[in-house]
Amino acid sequence: MSDLLEAVDALLARPDVLPPPHVRAELRKAAGLRQDQVAEVFGVTRVAFHRWETGQAKPHRRRLEAYAHLLNGWARKYPEAAAAPPVPEQEAG
Protein backbone atom coordinates (compact mmCIF):
# COMPACT_ATOMS: atom_id res chain seq x y z
CA MET A 1 0.00 0.00 0.00
CA SER A 2 2.85 2.42 0.74
CA ASP A 3 4.11 2.01 -2.85
CA LEU A 4 0.70 3.05 -4.12
CA LEU A 5 0.61 6.07 -1.81
CA GLU A 6 4.11 7.06 -2.91
CA ALA A 7 3.02 6.84 -6.54
CA VAL A 8 -0.01 9.01 -5.82
CA ASP A 9 2.18 11.53 -3.96
CA ALA A 10 4.47 11.65 -6.98
CA LEU A 11 1.50 12.46 -9.21
CA LEU A 12 0.35 15.19 -6.83
CA ALA A 13 3.83 16.69 -6.71
CA ARG A 14 4.29 16.90 -10.48
CA PRO A 15 5.69 20.37 -11.07
CA ASP A 16 4.44 20.59 -14.64
CA VAL A 17 0.73 20.22 -13.92
CA LEU A 18 -1.11 23.50 -13.59
CA PRO A 19 -4.78 24.06 -12.79
CA PRO A 20 -7.04 25.29 -15.59
CA PRO A 21 -6.50 28.92 -16.59
CA HIS A 22 -9.71 30.23 -15.00
CA VAL A 23 -8.62 28.73 -11.67
CA ARG A 24 -5.16 30.31 -11.95
CA ALA A 25 -6.72 33.75 -12.27
CA GLU A 26 -9.19 33.14 -9.43
CA LEU A 27 -6.40 32.04 -7.11
CA ARG A 28 -4.35 35.14 -7.89
CA LYS A 29 -7.36 37.38 -7.34
CA ALA A 30 -8.18 35.60 -4.06
CA ALA A 31 -4.64 36.43 -2.93
CA GLY A 32 -5.36 40.08 -3.72
CA LEU A 33 -2.59 40.40 -6.29
CA ARG A 34 -2.43 41.95 -9.74
CA GLN A 35 -0.74 40.23 -12.67
CA ASP A 36 2.11 42.76 -12.70
CA GLN A 37 2.88 42.07 -9.03
CA VAL A 38 3.23 38.33 -9.61
CA ALA A 39 5.12 38.88 -12.87
CA GLU A 40 7.68 41.00 -11.03
CA VAL A 41 8.38 38.18 -8.56
CA PHE A 42 8.98 35.78 -11.46
CA GLY A 43 11.12 38.28 -13.35
CA VAL A 44 8.87 38.34 -16.41
CA THR A 45 6.69 40.96 -18.05
CA ARG A 46 3.02 41.30 -17.19
CA VAL A 47 2.23 40.17 -20.73
CA ALA A 48 4.29 36.99 -20.30
CA PHE A 49 2.58 36.26 -17.00
CA HIS A 50 -0.83 36.94 -18.56
CA ARG A 51 -0.01 34.30 -21.19
CA TRP A 52 0.82 31.79 -18.41
CA GLU A 53 -2.36 32.59 -16.56
CA THR A 54 -4.58 32.27 -19.62
CA GLY A 55 -2.90 29.08 -20.83
CA GLN A 56 -1.50 30.67 -23.99
CA ALA A 57 2.06 29.84 -22.89
CA LYS A 58 3.80 27.70 -20.30
CA PRO A 59 6.74 28.87 -18.19
CA HIS A 60 10.11 27.20 -18.65
CA ARG A 61 11.07 24.47 -16.18
CA ARG A 62 12.40 26.47 -13.21
CA ARG A 63 9.62 29.04 -13.33
CA LEU A 64 7.05 26.33 -14.07
CA GLU A 65 7.92 24.52 -10.85
CA ALA A 66 7.79 27.75 -8.87
CA TYR A 67 4.48 28.82 -10.48
CA ALA A 68 2.92 25.41 -9.77
CA HIS A 69 4.17 25.66 -6.17
CA LEU A 70 2.61 29.12 -5.82
CA LEU A 71 -0.72 27.96 -7.28
CA ASN A 72 -0.78 24.89 -5.01
CA GLY A 73 -0.12 27.10 -1.99
CA TRP A 74 -2.90 29.47 -2.96
CA ALA A 75 -5.24 26.51 -3.57
CA ARG A 76 -4.66 25.35 0.01
CA LYS A 77 -5.13 28.88 1.34
CA TYR A 78 -8.15 29.74 -0.85
CA PRO A 79 -10.01 26.47 -1.55
CA GLU A 80 -13.12 28.32 -2.71
CA ALA A 81 -11.14 29.97 -5.51
CA ALA A 82 -9.60 26.63 -6.48
CA ALA A 83 -13.10 25.23 -6.96
CA ALA A 84 -14.36 28.13 -9.09
CA PRO A 85 -16.38 26.97 -12.10
CA PRO A 86 -15.40 28.32 -15.51
CA VAL A 87 -17.11 31.54 -16.52
CA PRO A 88 -19.22 30.94 -19.62
CA GLU A 89 -18.18 32.98 -22.64
CA GLN A 90 -20.58 35.65 -23.81
CA GLU A 91 -22.31 34.82 -27.07
CA ALA A 92 -21.63 37.29 -29.81
CA GLY A 93 -24.86 38.92 -30.80
Side-chain angles (χ1 to χ4, degrees):
M1 181 65 161
S2 68
D3 288 345
L4 178 56
L5 292 178
E6 287 176 21
V8 168
D9 285 342
L11 289 175
L12 289 172
R14 280 186 56 192
D16 59 341
V17 177
L18 300 173
H22 74 279
V23 172
R24 298 174 206 174
E26 289 302 317
L27 289 169
R28 176 186 49 78
K29 291 173 188 175
L33 295 168
R34 298 182 316 266
Q35 287 182 340
D36 63 311
Q37 292 172 306
V38 180
E40 184 177 340
V41 170
F42 282 95
V44 298
T45 65
R46 189 208 58 83
V47 172
F49 179 77
H50 171 78
R51 294 182 73 219
W52 296 357
E53 191 171 81
T54 59
Q56 297 172 26
K58 197 172 184 179
H60 291 288
R61 190 72 176 161
R62 190 175 120 254
R63 287 187 174 114
L64 175 61
E65 290 177 14
Y67 186 40
H69 183 68
L70 175 64
L71 291 170
N72 287 331
W74 282 342
R76 287 188 299 276
K77 192 171 183 179
Y78 309 107
E80 67 286 348
V87 177
E89 291 185 32
Q90 297 286 333
E91 288 186 25

